[in-house]
Coordinates of all heavy atoms in Angstrom, one line a residue:
M9 N 80.7 149.9 21.7 CA 82.1 150.4 22.0 C 82.1 150.7 23.6 O 83.1 150.5 24.3 CB 82.5 151.6 21.3 CG 83.9 152.1 21.4 SD 85.1 151.0 20.8 CE 84.8 151.1 19.1
N10 N 81.0 151.3 24.1 CA 81.0 151.7 25.5 C 81.2 150.4 26.4 O 80.5 149.4 26.2 CB 79.7 152.3 25.8 CG 79.7 153.8 25.3 OD1 80.7 154.3 25.1 ND2 78.5 154.4 25.3
G11 N 82.0 150.5 27.4 CA 82.2 149.5 28.3 C 83.2 148.5 28.0 O 83.7 147.7 28.8
S12 N 83.7 148.5 26.7 CA 84.6 147.5 26.3 C 86.0 148.1 26.3 O 86.2 149.3 26.0 CB 84.3 146.9 24.9 OG 84.3 148.0 24.0
R13 N 87.0 147.3 26.6 CA 88.4 147.8 26.6 C 88.9 148.0 25.1 O 88.5 147.2 24.2 CB 89.3 146.8 27.2 CG 89.0 146.6 28.7 CD 89.5 147.8 29.5 NE 89.1 147.6 30.9 CZ 89.8 146.8 31.7 NH1 90.9 146.2 31.3 NH2 89.4 146.8 33.0
L14 N 89.6 149.0 24.9 CA 90.1 149.3 23.6 C 91.4 148.6 23.4 O 92.2 148.5 24.3 CB 90.3 150.8 23.4 CG 89.0 151.7 23.5 CD1 89.4 153.1 23.4 CD2 88.0 151.3 22.5
N15 N 91.6 148.1 22.2 CA 92.9 147.5 21.9 C 93.9 148.6 21.5 O 93.5 149.8 21.3 CB 92.8 146.4 20.9 CG 92.3 146.8 19.6 OD1 92.4 148.0 19.2 ND2 91.6 145.9 18.9
V16 N 95.1 148.2 21.3 CA 96.2 149.2 21.0 C 95.9 149.9 19.6 O 96.0 151.1 19.5 CB 97.6 148.5 20.9 CG1 98.6 149.5 20.4 CG2 97.9 148.1 22.3
A17 N 95.4 149.2 18.7 CA 95.0 149.8 17.4 C 94.0 150.8 17.5 O 94.0 151.9 16.8 CB 94.6 148.7 16.4
A18 N 93.0 150.5 18.3 CA 91.9 151.5 18.5 C 92.4 152.7 19.2 O 92.0 153.8 18.9 CB 90.7 150.8 19.4
L19 N 93.3 152.5 20.2 CA 93.8 153.7 21.0 C 94.6 154.6 20.0 O 94.6 155.8 20.1 CB 94.8 153.2 22.1 CG 94.1 152.7 23.4 CD1 95.2 152.2 24.3 CD2 93.3 153.8 24.0
R20 N 95.3 154.0 19.0 CA 96.1 154.8 18.1 C 95.1 155.6 17.2 O 95.5 156.6 16.7 CB 97.0 153.9 17.2 CG 98.1 153.3 18.1 CD 99.3 153.1 17.3 NE 100.5 152.7 18.1 CZ 101.0 151.5 18.1 NH1 100.6 150.6 17.3 NH2 102.0 151.2 18.9
R21 N 94.0 155.0 16.9 CA 93.0 155.7 16.0 C 92.3 156.8 16.7 O 91.7 157.7 16.1 CB 92.0 154.7 15.5 CG 92.5 153.8 14.4 CD 91.4 153.2 13.5 NE 90.3 152.7 14.3 CZ 90.3 151.4 14.8 NH1 91.3 150.6 14.5 NH2 89.3 151.0 15.5
A22 N 92.2 156.7 18.0 CA 91.4 157.7 18.8 C 92.0 159.1 18.7 O 93.2 159.3 18.8 CB 91.3 157.3 20.2
V23 N 91.1 160.1 18.4 CA 91.5 161.5 18.4 C 91.0 162.2 19.6 O 89.8 162.4 19.8 CB 91.0 162.1 17.1 CG1 91.4 163.6 17.0 CG2 91.4 161.3 15.8
P24 N 91.9 162.7 20.4 CA 91.5 163.4 21.6 C 90.8 164.7 21.3 O 91.2 165.5 20.5 CB 92.8 163.7 22.3 CG 93.9 163.6 21.3 CD 93.4 162.7 20.2
L25 N 89.6 164.9 22.0 CA 88.8 166.1 21.9 C 89.0 167.0 23.1 O 89.2 168.2 23.0 CB 87.3 165.7 21.7 CG 87.0 164.8 20.5 CD1 85.5 164.4 20.6 CD2 87.2 165.5 19.2
R26 N 88.7 166.4 24.3 CA 88.8 167.2 25.5 C 89.6 166.3 26.5 O 89.6 165.1 26.4 CB 87.4 167.5 26.0 CG 86.7 168.5 25.1 CD 85.6 169.2 25.8 NE 84.5 168.2 26.1 CZ 83.5 168.4 27.1 NH1 83.6 169.5 27.7 NH2 82.6 167.5 27.3
M27 N 90.1 167.0 27.5 CA 90.9 166.3 28.5 C 90.8 166.9 29.9 O 90.7 168.2 30.0 CB 92.4 166.3 28.1 CG 93.3 165.6 29.0 SD 94.9 165.5 28.3 CE 95.4 167.1 28.3
W28 N 90.7 166.1 30.9 CA 90.7 166.6 32.3 C 91.8 165.9 33.0 O 92.1 164.7 32.8 CB 89.4 166.3 32.9 CG 88.2 166.8 32.3 CD1 87.5 168.0 32.7 CD2 87.4 166.3 31.2 NE1 86.4 168.2 31.9 CE2 86.3 167.2 31.0 CE3 87.5 165.2 30.4 CZ2 85.4 167.0 30.0 CZ3 86.5 164.9 29.4 CH2 85.5 165.9 29.2
G29 N 92.4 166.6 34.0 CA 93.3 165.9 34.9 C 92.8 165.9 36.3 O 92.1 166.8 36.7
G30 N 93.2 164.9 37.1 CA 92.7 164.9 38.4 C 93.3 163.7 39.2 O 94.3 163.1 38.7
K31 N 92.8 163.4 40.4 CA 93.3 162.3 41.1 C 92.7 161.0 40.5 O 91.7 161.0 39.9 CB 92.8 162.4 42.5 CG 93.5 163.5 43.3 CD 93.1 163.4 44.8 CE 93.9 164.4 45.6 NZ 93.4 164.4 47.0
G32 N 93.5 159.9 40.7 CA 93.0 158.6 40.2 C 91.7 158.2 40.8 O 91.4 158.5 42.0
S33 N 90.9 157.5 40.0 CA 89.6 157.1 40.4 C 89.5 155.7 40.8 O 88.4 155.2 41.2 CB 88.6 157.4 39.2 OG 89.0 156.6 38.1
G34 N 90.7 155.0 40.8 CA 90.6 153.6 41.2 C 90.2 152.6 40.1 O 90.0 151.4 40.3
L35 N 90.0 153.2 38.8 CA 89.7 152.4 37.7 C 90.9 152.2 36.8 O 91.9 153.0 36.9 CB 88.6 153.1 36.9 CG 87.2 153.3 37.6 CD1 86.4 154.2 36.9 CD2 86.6 151.9 37.7
P36 N 90.9 151.1 36.0 CA 92.1 150.8 35.2 C 92.4 151.8 34.1 O 91.5 152.3 33.5 CB 91.8 149.4 34.7 CG 90.3 149.3 34.7 CD 89.9 150.1 35.9
C37 N 93.7 152.0 33.9 CA 94.2 152.8 32.8 C 93.9 152.1 31.4 O 94.1 150.9 31.4 CB 95.7 153.0 33.1 SG 96.6 153.7 31.7
D38 N 93.5 152.8 30.5 CA 93.2 152.2 29.2 C 94.5 151.9 28.4 O 94.5 151.3 27.4 CB 92.4 153.2 28.3 CG 90.9 153.1 28.7 OD1 90.3 152.0 28.6 OD2 90.3 154.1 29.1
F39 N 95.6 152.4 28.9 CA 96.9 152.2 28.2 C 97.6 151.0 28.7 O 98.0 150.1 28.0 CB 97.7 153.4 28.2 CG 98.9 153.5 27.3 CD1 98.8 153.9 26.0 CD2 100.2 153.1 27.8 CE1 99.9 153.9 25.2 CE2 101.2 153.0 26.9 CZ 101.1 153.4 25.6
C40 N 97.8 151.0 30.0 CA 98.6 149.9 30.6 C 97.8 148.9 31.4 O 98.3 147.9 31.9 CB 99.7 150.4 31.5 SG 99.1 151.2 33.0
R41 N 96.5 149.2 31.6 CA 95.5 148.3 32.2 C 95.7 148.3 33.8 O 95.1 147.5 34.4 CB 95.5 146.9 31.7 CG 95.5 146.8 30.2 CD 94.3 147.4 29.6 NE 94.1 147.0 28.2 CZ 93.5 147.7 27.3 NH1 93.1 149.0 27.6 NH2 93.4 147.3 26.1
V42 N 96.7 149.1 34.3 CA 96.9 149.1 35.7 C 96.0 150.1 36.3 O 95.8 151.2 35.8 CB 98.4 149.3 36.0 CG1 98.6 149.5 37.5 CG2 99.3 148.2 35.4
T43 N 95.5 149.8 37.5 CA 94.6 150.7 38.2 C 95.3 152.1 38.5 O 96.5 152.1 38.8 CB 94.2 150.1 39.6 OG1 93.5 148.9 39.3 CG2 93.3 151.0 40.4
V44 N 94.5 153.2 38.3 CA 95.0 154.5 38.6 C 94.6 154.8 40.0 O 93.4 155.0 40.3 CB 94.4 155.5 37.6 CG1 95.1 156.9 37.8 CG2 94.6 155.1 36.1
G45 N 95.5 154.7 40.9 CA 95.2 154.8 42.3 C 95.1 156.3 42.7 O 95.3 157.2 42.0
P46 N 94.5 156.5 43.9 CA 94.2 157.9 44.4 C 95.5 158.7 44.5 O 95.4 160.0 44.5 CB 93.5 157.7 45.7 CG 93.8 156.3 46.1 CD 94.1 155.5 44.9
D47 N 96.6 158.1 44.6 CA 97.9 158.9 44.7 C 98.5 159.2 43.4 O 99.5 159.9 43.2 CB 99.0 158.1 45.5 CG 98.5 158.0 47.0 OD1 97.8 158.8 47.5 OD2 99.0 157.0 47.6
D48 N 97.9 158.6 42.3 CA 98.3 158.9 40.9 C 97.6 160.1 40.3 O 96.4 160.3 40.6 CB 98.1 157.7 40.0 CG 99.0 156.5 40.5 OD1 100.1 156.7 40.9 OD2 98.5 155.4 40.4
V49 N 98.2 160.7 39.3 CA 97.5 161.7 38.5 C 96.8 161.0 37.4 O 97.4 160.2 36.7 CB 98.5 162.8 38.0 CG1 97.7 163.7 37.0 CG2 99.1 163.6 39.1
E50 N 95.6 161.2 37.2 CA 94.8 160.6 36.2 C 94.4 161.6 35.1 O 94.0 162.7 35.4 CB 93.5 159.9 36.8 CG 92.6 159.3 35.8 CD 91.3 158.8 36.4 OE1 91.3 157.7 36.9 OE2 90.3 159.6 36.4
Y51 N 94.5 161.2 33.9 CA 94.0 162.0 32.8 C 92.8 161.3 32.2 O 92.8 160.1 31.8 CB 95.1 162.1 31.6 CG 96.1 163.1 31.9 CD1 97.1 163.0 32.8 CD2 96.0 164.4 31.2 CE1 98.0 164.0 33.0 CE2 96.9 165.4 31.4 CZ 97.9 165.2 32.3 OH 98.8 166.2 32.5
E52 N 91.7 162.0 32.1 CA 90.5 161.5 31.4 C 90.4 162.2 30.1 O 90.5 163.5 30.1 CB 89.3 161.9 32.3 CG 88.5 160.7 32.9 CD 87.3 161.1 33.5 OE1 87.3 162.0 34.4 OE2 86.2 160.5 33.2
V53 N 90.3 161.5 29.1 CA 90.2 162.0 27.7 C 89.0 161.7 27.0 O 88.6 160.4 27.0 CB 91.5 161.5 26.9 CG1 91.4 162.2 25.5 CG2 92.8 161.9 27.6
E54 N 88.3 162.6 26.5 CA 87.2 162.4 25.6 C 87.7 162.4 24.2 O 88.4 163.3 23.8 CB 86.1 163.5 25.7 CG 84.9 163.3 24.9 CD 83.9 164.4 25.1 OE1 83.5 164.7 26.2 OE2 83.6 165.0 24.1
A55 N 87.5 161.2 23.5 CA 88.2 161.1 22.2 C 87.2 160.6 21.2 O 86.1 159.9 21.5 CB 89.3 160.1 22.3
Q56 N 87.5 160.9 19.9 CA 86.6 160.5 18.8 C 87.2 159.2 18.3 O 88.5 159.1 18.0 CB 86.6 161.6 17.8 CG 85.4 161.4 16.8 CD 85.2 162.7 16.0 OE1 86.2 163.3 15.6 NE2 84.0 163.1 15.8
L57 N 86.4 158.2 18.1 CA 86.9 156.9 17.6 C 85.8 156.3 16.7 O 84.7 156.0 17.2 CB 87.2 156.0 18.8 CG 87.7 154.6 18.4 CD1 89.0 154.7 17.6 CD2 87.9 153.7 19.6
D58 N 86.2 156.1 15.5 CA 85.3 155.4 14.5 C 83.9 156.0 14.5 O 82.9 155.3 14.5 CB 85.2 153.9 14.9 CG 86.6 153.2 14.8 OD1 87.4 153.8 14.1 OD2 86.7 152.2 15.4
G59 N 83.8 157.3 14.5 CA 82.6 158.0 14.4 C 81.8 158.2 15.6 O 80.7 158.8 15.7
G60 N 82.3 157.6 16.7 CA 81.7 157.8 18.1 C 82.6 158.5 19.0 O 83.7 158.9 18.7
T61 N 82.1 158.7 20.3 CA 82.9 159.3 21.3 C 83.2 158.3 22.4 O 82.3 157.6 22.8 CB 82.2 160.5 21.8 OG1 81.9 161.4 20.8 CG2 83.0 161.3 22.9
V62 N 84.4 158.2 22.9 CA 84.7 157.3 23.9 C 85.5 158.1 25.0 O 86.1 159.1 24.8 CB 85.7 156.2 23.4 CG1 85.0 155.2 22.5 CG2 87.0 156.7 22.8
M63 N 85.4 157.6 26.2 CA 86.1 158.2 27.3 C 87.3 157.3 27.7 O 87.1 156.0 27.9 CB 85.2 158.3 28.6 CG 84.1 159.3 28.5 SD 84.8 161.1 28.2 CE 85.7 161.3 29.7
L64 N 88.5 157.8 27.7 CA 89.7 157.1 28.0 C 90.2 157.6 29.3 O 90.0 158.8 29.7 CB 90.7 157.3 26.9 CG 90.2 156.9 25.5 CD1 91.3 157.3 24.5 CD2 89.9 155.4 25.4
R65 N 91.0 156.7 30.0 CA 91.6 157.1 31.3 C 93.0 156.7 31.3 O 93.3 155.5 30.9 CB 90.8 156.3 32.4 CG 91.2 156.6 33.7 CD 90.3 155.9 34.7 NE 89.0 156.6 34.8 CZ 87.9 156.1 34.2 NH1 87.9 155.0 33.5 NH2 86.8 156.7 34.3
F66 N 93.9 157.5 31.6 CA 95.3 157.2 31.6 C 96.0 157.7 32.9 O 95.6 158.7 33.5 CB 96.0 158.0 30.4 CG 95.5 157.6 29.1 CD1 94.7 158.5 28.4 CD2 95.7 156.4 28.5 CE1 94.2 158.2 27.1 CE2 95.2 156.1 27.2 CZ 94.5 157.0 26.5
H67 N 97.1 157.0 33.2 CA 98.1 157.6 34.1 C 98.8 158.8 33.4 O 98.8 158.8 32.2 CB 99.2 156.6 34.4 CG 98.8 155.4 35.2 ND1 98.6 154.2 34.6 CD2 98.5 155.2 36.5 CE1 98.1 153.3 35.5 NE2 98.1 153.9 36.7
Y68 N 99.3 159.7 34.2 CA 100.1 160.8 33.6 C 101.1 160.3 32.6 O 101.2 160.7 31.4 CB 100.7 161.5 34.7 CG 101.6 162.6 34.2 CD1 101.1 163.9 33.8 CD2 103.0 162.5 34.1 CE1 101.8 164.9 33.3 CE2 103.8 163.5 33.7 CZ 103.3 164.7 33.2 OH 104.1 165.7 32.8
R69 N 101.9 159.3 33.0 CA 102.9 158.8 32.1 C 102.4 158.1 30.9 O 103.0 158.1 29.8 CB 103.9 157.9 32.9 CG 103.3 156.6 33.4 CD 104.3 155.8 34.2 NE 103.6 154.6 34.7 CZ 102.9 154.6 35.8 NH1 102.7 155.6 36.5 NH2 102.3 153.4 36.2
C70 N 101.2 157.4 31.0 CA 100.6 156.7 30.0 C 100.0 157.6 28.9 O 100.1 157.4 27.7 CB 99.6 155.7 30.5 SG 100.3 154.4 31.4
H71 N 99.4 158.7 29.4 CA 98.9 159.7 28.5 C 100.1 160.3 27.7 O 100.0 160.6 26.5 CB 98.2 160.8 29.3 CG 97.7 161.9 28.4 ND1 98.4 163.1 28.2 CD2 96.6 162.0 27.6 CE1 97.8 163.8 27.3 NE2 96.7 163.2 27.0
Y72 N 101.2 160.5 28.4 CA 102.4 161.1 27.7 C 102.8 160.1 26.6 O 103.1 160.6 25.5 CB 103.4 161.2 28.8 CG 104.7 161.8 28.4 CD1 104.8 163.2 28.3 CD2 105.9 161.0 28.1 CE1 106.0 163.7 27.9 CE2 107.1 161.6 27.7 CZ 107.2 162.9 27.6 OH 108.3 163.5 27.2
A73 N 102.8 158.9 26.9 CA 103.2 157.9 25.9 C 102.2 157.8 24.8 O 102.6 157.7 23.6 CB 103.4 156.5 26.5
W74 N 100.9 157.9 25.1 CA 99.8 157.7 24.1 C 99.9 158.9 23.1 O 99.7 158.7 22.0 CB 98.5 157.7 24.8 CG 97.3 157.7 24.0 CD1 97.0 156.7 23.1 CD2 96.3 158.6 23.8 NE1 95.8 156.9 22.4 CE2 95.4 158.2 22.8 CE3 96.0 159.9 24.4 CZ2 94.2 158.8 22.5 CZ3 94.8 160.5 24.1 CH2 94.0 160.1 23.1
T75 N 100.3 160.1 23.6 CA 100.3 161.3 22.7 C 101.6 161.3 22.0 O 101.9 162.3 21.3 CB 100.2 162.6 23.5 OG1 101.1 162.6 24.6 CG2 98.8 162.7 24.2
G76 N 102.4 160.3 22.1 CA 103.6 160.2 21.3 C 104.9 160.8 22.0 O 105.9 161.0 21.3
G77 N 104.8 160.9 23.3 CA 105.9 161.3 24.0 C 106.2 162.8 23.9 O 107.3 163.3 24.2
E78 N 105.2 163.5 23.4 CA 105.4 165.0 23.3 C 105.5 165.6 24.7 O 104.7 165.2 25.6 CB 104.3 165.6 22.5 CG 104.4 165.2 21.0 CD 103.2 165.7 20.3 OE1 102.7 166.8 20.6 OE2 102.7 165.0 19.4
E79 N 106.3 166.6 24.8 CA 106.3 167.3 26.1 C 105.0 168.0 26.4 O 104.5 168.7 25.6 CB 107.4 168.4 26.0 CG 107.8 168.9 27.4 CD 108.5 167.8 28.2 OE1 109.2 167.0 27.7 OE2 108.3 167.8 29.5
P80 N 104.3 167.6 27.5 CA 103.0 168.2 27.8 C 103.2 169.6 28.1 O 104.1 170.1 28.7 CB 102.5 167.5 29.0 CG 103.7 166.8 29.6 CD 104.8 166.7 28.5
R81 N 102.2 170.4 27.6 CA 102.2 171.9 27.9 C 101.8 172.1 29.4 O 101.1 171.3 29.9 CB 101.1 172.6 27.0 CG 101.6 172.7 25.5 CD 100.6 173.3 24.7 NE 99.4 172.5 24.7 CZ 98.4 172.6 23.9 NH1 98.3 173.6 23.1 NH2 97.3 171.8 23.9
A82 N 102.4 173.1 29.9 CA 102.2 173.4 31.3 C 100.7 173.5 31.7 O 100.3 172.9 32.8 CB 102.9 174.6 31.7
A83 N 99.9 174.0 30.8 CA 98.5 174.2 31.2 C 97.7 172.9 31.2 O 96.7 172.8 31.8 CB 97.8 175.1 30.1
E84 N 98.3 171.8 30.7 CA 97.7 170.5 30.7 C 98.1 169.7 31.9 O 97.5 168.6 32.1 CB 98.0 169.8 29.4 CG 97.3 170.5 28.2 CD 97.7 169.8 26.9 OE1 98.7 169.0 26.8 OE2 97.1 170.1 25.9
D85 N 99.1 170.1 32.6 CA 99.5 169.4 33.8 C 98.7 169.8 35.0 O 98.9 170.9 35.5 CB 101.0 169.6 33.9 CG 101.6 168.6 35.0 OD1 100.9 168.3 35.9 OD2 102.8 168.3 34.8
P86 N 97.9 169.0 35.5 CA 97.0 169.4 36.7 C 97.8 169.8 37.9 O 97.4 170.6 38.7 CB 96.2 168.1 36.9 CG 96.9 167.0 36.4 CD 97.6 167.6 35.2
R87 N 99.1 169.2 38.0 CA 99.9 169.6 39.2 C 100.4 171.0 39.1 O 100.4 171.7 40.0 CB 101.1 168.6 39.3 CG 100.6 167.2 39.7 CD 101.7 166.2 39.6 NE 102.3 166.2 38.2 CZ 103.2 165.3 37.8 NH1 103.7 164.5 38.7 NH2 103.6 165.3 36.6
I88 N 100.7 171.4 37.9 CA 101.2 172.8 37.6 C 100.0 173.7 37.8 O 100.1 174.8 38.4 CB 101.8 172.9 36.2 CG1 103.1 172.1 36.3 CG2 102.1 174.4 35.9 CD1 103.8 172.0 34.9
A89 N 98.9 173.3 37.2 CA 97.6 174.2 37.3 C 97.3 174.4 38.7 O 96.8 175.5 39.0 CB 96.5 173.5 36.5
A90 N 97.4 173.4 39.5 CA 97.0 173.5 40.9 C 97.9 174.5 41.6 O 97.4 175.3 42.5 CB 97.1 172.1 41.6
D91 N 99.2 174.5 41.3 CA 100.1 175.5 41.9 C 99.7 176.9 41.6 O 99.9 177.8 42.4 CB 101.5 175.3 41.4 CG 102.1 174.0 42.0 OD1 101.5 173.5 43.0 OD2 103.1 173.5 41.4
R92 N 99.1 177.1 40.4 CA 98.7 178.5 40.0 C 97.4 179.0 40.6 O 97.1 180.1 40.7 CB 98.6 178.5 38.5 CG 99.9 178.5 37.7 CD 99.6 178.5 36.2 NE 100.9 178.4 35.5 CZ 100.9 178.0 34.3 NH1 99.8 177.7 33.6 NH2 102.1 177.9 33.6
A93 N 96.6 178.0 41.0 CA 95.2 178.3 41.5 C 95.3 179.1 42.8 O 96.2 178.9 43.6 CB 94.4 177.1 41.6
Ligands
ZN2 ZN1 98.7 153.5 32.7

């Protein structure tokens, strides 16, 4: 599983465990396959999938879509967290 791109079905099965937000690392988003640039907010998600653990990377908007379009909580938005720091 490590190193291989996940298909949409696998992404849907993945259960998020932990999440970090930060600047884009220049690596492709696991949702839209487009590079997350340094000017983008990147979400890194540790997720459980088929008995293993995978690391996923998303744009802010792609993470939002992946989670089903739920309104993100303020504490999970790195831009808001940065304002509070
Ligand atoms: Zn994306």
Side-chain angles (χ1 to χ4, degrees):
M9 188 66 69
N10 283 341
S12 61
R13 297 287 177 78
L14 299 178
N15 60 31
V16 173
L19 280 178
R20 290 214 175 110
R21 286 202 307 278
V23 179
L25 299 173
R26 294 198 290 164
M27 182 171 69
W28 300 264
K31 285 185 178 178
S33 57
L35 293 167
C37 169
D38 279 302
F39 192 86
C40 70
R41 313 301 196 210
V42 175
T43 299
V44 186
D47 293 334
D48 296 322
V49 173
E50 176 184 276
Y51 275 78
E52 247 188 308
V53 179
E54 183 181 303
Q56 198 165 43
L57 177 67
D58 299 341
T61 303
V62 293
M63 290 300 299
L64 304 172
R65 182 174 289 102
F66 299 110
H67 294 101
Y68 175 79
R69 64 182 178 277
C70 293
H71 178 264
Y72 183 80
W74 178 61
T75 55
E78 292 172 32
E79 196 65 36
R81 285 175 298 188
E84 292 175 347
D85 189 327
R87 292 172 300 187
I88 292 171
D91 288 344
R92 285 180 185 157

